[in-house]
Amino acid sequence: MRPPLHDPEHNLGPDSEPDAEPDFAPDSERGEADGKAGSVLVLLLACGGSFVSLLDVTIANLAVPDLQRDFGSASVADLTWVMSLYAIAFAALLAPAGRLADTVGRRGLYRAGIAVFTLASAACAAAPNLATLLVARAVQGLGAAALVPASLAIVLAQIPAARRAAAIGAWSASASLAAALGPSLGGILVDVFGWRSVFLITVPIGIGLALLTRVAADSRSGERLPDLAGSALLAGGIGALVVGVSQGSTWQWDDARTLACIAGGLLLIVAAVARAARHPRPGLEVGLWRSRPYAYANVVSFLFGMLLYPWMLLGVLYLTQVWHYSELRAGFAMTHGAVVSAAAGLAVGKLARAVTPRTAVVGGAVVLAVTALWLGLAVPEQPAFLTLWLPTGVLLGLGIGAVSTGVSSAAALSVPPVKFAGATGLNLTARQVGGALGIAALATVMQREAGHGTDAFRDLFFIFAGLAVLTAAAGIGLAKSAAAAGAPADARRDAGSEALVGERKEMTV
């Protein structure tokens, strides 16, 4: 119990017992400054979790040549598993982890996730051989899968309703910044310090975030653990599907391994959905898809993933293979797009009343379509940084930031507060699966057009333009009620949710 408070209005002296009300008062009654300071720390914790998780999806893209020098007996196909295993574990466990966060508590899951992620990052940096590195990368992906839904759940539960839309914008901006910054930061680190630095850099960040978890309140639904068998089916199905589509161009699409992974993965996913539909505590919240805005948000997320991750990789390949930039120079050449992406995400969040998620998604996707079309029509073989790469990088950053923030807001605000973490995990799972399919398509086109100059790059940029148009079309389906975080009805609902969460927060801290 807190020390007795002296309150003249209620005539409470040092020997009197205070009412419970001051102990459960909202932040605004305790002091606006303290409330804002607490919100900043909570937002820093949440954004840090999303940043390190998404950063490691792309940061190792330029490490393959350096890895090959250290592990000379490994082929390039073997080394691509350094990226693939992280993506597979991350995508496979996102949805079950989100459901688990709703049940066991967001703070507890965040702590477990950051501990696993940080220890695995250190193991990656110290790996003496490729086998150890691959195992550590898979474990690192498991930690990241726990971090992402827990981090957004912390934001939505602890940030006051009036600032929630801006907070979602900041969280999304940190994620899009990480995905866009990964290749450039990775290129710089590999060129200056070697491949181990791309994993070592997240260790001090992870330690700092682990210490900061004290600011996170915990809240549990009180339900028993979700269906573990169904979660295992879902994780296994997504993992097998991602392996099949990511390795199809290497194994060949008619190879028995490719067909077995894709067919087996689809069957396991269908079985998981069927089990979830009739289980009292499903590992997969299929009921969330009954919400039309949420269903459209998942479609947008899937298409956006098919566009985003291969585009990030293609940019690196274009600069290094066509313009013959070094890894260091290529890293710097992609930095401005990452910065613009973060700024766009923050702007969309702060202007939530005027720029709804529907507007952000559709507008951002149209910008991406125009940018991809411009690059597809140009694709010069000689460097043209100022006239082509600089302006298209700015447009790319604007589009990524807007779509990423818009779809995250639409997904989060279209479900009840108690479902925040599960909804986030499922939505990001759609993005990761879409990204795996996009990477597979990129690998197939690059292999088919090998030796034909810039033809493969031109074809892929045109494919990206088409995917951006489809993303914009899906974004039209996002309902205004889910988009407008500042609408009066939503504000009243959020205020009520905030009061409930605040009460739980005080009871659990």
Side-chain angles (χ1 to χ4, degrees):
M1 182 174 293
R2 294 180 180 179
L5 301 176
H6 179 68
D7 187 344
E9 184 178 357
H10 291 87
N11 197 27
L12 294 175
D15 299 324
S16 304
E17 283 292 326
D19 294 334
E21 184 178 0
D23 204 38
F24 294 93
D27 285 341
S28 59
E29 295 181 15
R30 292 183 219 152
E32 186 177 352
D34 290 343
K36 286 185 177 180
S39 295
V40 169
L41 290 177
V42 168
L43 188 58
L44 179 62
L45 176 68
C47 290
S50 68
F51 180 85
V52 295
S53 299
L54 274 297
L55 180 69
D56 268 68
V57 174
T58 58
I59 196 172
N61 283 356
L62 282 171
V64 172
D66 204 43
L67 283 165
Q68 198 167 27
R69 284 191 287 270
D70 271 16
F71 306 131
S73 60
S75 66
V76 174
D78 292 334
L79 294 173
T80 60
W81 282 99
V82 174
M83 280 70 72
S84 298
L85 275 177
Y86 182 90
I88 289 166
F90 189 34
L93 272 296
L94 266 172
R99 185 74 176 89
L100 193 63
D102 290 328
T103 303
V104 304
R106 52 188 176 269
R107 182 174 61 190
L109 188 65
Y110 190 105
R111 282 176 171 170
I114 196 63
V116 170
F117 181 88
T118 304
L119 290 173
S121 297
C124 287
N129 52 56
L130 182 59
T132 303
L133 177 59
L134 294 179
V135 171
R137 276 291 274 175
V139 175
Q140 193 186 32
L142 299 180
L147 273 178
V148 172
S151 66
L152 184 57
I154 287 171
V155 166
L156 294 171
Q158 293 185 240
I159 297 296
R163 299 197 294 269
R164 191 168 295 154
I168 294 174
W171 183 88
S172 299
S174 68
S176 61
L177 172 63
L181 186 63
S184 54
L185 179 61
I188 295 168
L189 289 172
V190 169
D191 192 86
V192 177
F193 301 108
W195 67 265
R196 296 182 189 275
S197 62
V198 303
F199 304 114
L200 192 61
I201 192 174
T202 54
V203 173
I205 299 174
I207 293 172
L209 292 174
L211 296 174
L212 193 59
T213 54
R214 60 182 177 79
V215 305
D218 214 2
S219 178
R220 304 179 185 183
S221 64
E223 299 177 359
R224 294 165 59 188
L225 288 175
D227 176 31
L228 296 180
S231 298
L233 285 173
L234 177 65
I238 293 175
L241 181 62
V242 172
V243 168
V245 297
S246 62
Q247 296 301 309
S249 58
T250 302
W251 292 342
Q252 302 303 318
W253 291 104
D254 57 352
D255 187 276
R257 293 171 295 178
T258 304
L259 296 175
C261 285
I262 293 176
L266 290 173
L267 286 174
L268 288 174
I269 291 172
V270 170
V273 172
R275 183 181 176 90
R278 63 178 185 273
H279 199 280
R281 297 181 307 281
L284 176 64
E285 286 277 9
V286 293
L288 293 174
W289 291 327
R290 298 191 186 102
S291 166
R292 179 175 172 270
Y294 184 75
Y296 272 106
N298 276 262
V299 174
V300 169
S301 190
F302 176 80
L303 293 170
F304 183 51
M306 287 189 71
L307 169 68
L308 174 63
Y309 293 114
W311 196 329
M312 293 297 98
L313 180 56
L314 188 69
V316 170
L317 294 175
Y318 184 74
L319 291 173
T320 55
Q321 293 183 9
V322 178
W323 288 2
H324 303 294
Y325 278 17
S326 67
E327 286 89 349
L328 181 64
R329 191 177 181 187
F332 279 119
M334 296 187 69
T335 302
H336 67 289
V339 173
V340 173
S341 172
L346 289 171
V348 169
K350 289 183 178 180
L351 300 174
R353 292 179 181 273
V355 183
T356 66
R358 175 194 283 179
T359 304
V361 168
V362 175
V366 168
V367 170
L368 290 175
V370 171
T371 307
L373 187 61
W374 182 1
L375 287 168
L377 292 173
V379 287
E381 295 187 7
Q382 299 302 317
F385 181 83
L386 292 178
T387 58
L388 177 69
W389 202 255
L390 180 63
T392 56
V394 171
L395 292 176
L396 176 64
L398 288 173
I400 290 175
V403 175
S404 181
T405 303
V407 71
S408 296
S409 299
L413 297 176
S414 59
V415 300
V418 73
K419 303 296 185 184
F420 283 156
T424 303
L426 192 55
N427 186 254
L428 286 172
T429 297
R431 184 181 302 186
Q432 295 303 313
V433 173
L437 289 170
I439 292 290
L442 181 147
T444 301
V445 173
M446 293 295 288
Q447 187 177 55
R448 186 190 67 198
E449 300 289 346
H452 292 80
T454 59
D455 288 351
F457 295 95
R458 178 177 292 105
D459 292 345
L460 284 164
F461 281 125
F462 287 151
I463 291 173
F464 293 159
L467 285 170
V469 171
L470 291 176
T471 303
I476 295 173
L478 299 175
K480 291 182 179 179
S481 59
D490 288 341
R492 288 193 296 270
R493 179 198 66 194
D494 289 345
S497 301
E498 183 66 23
L500 176 61
V501 170
E503 188 174 23
R504 289 178 177 175
K505 172 182 174 182
E506 291 293 327
M507 295 177 68
T508 54
V509 170

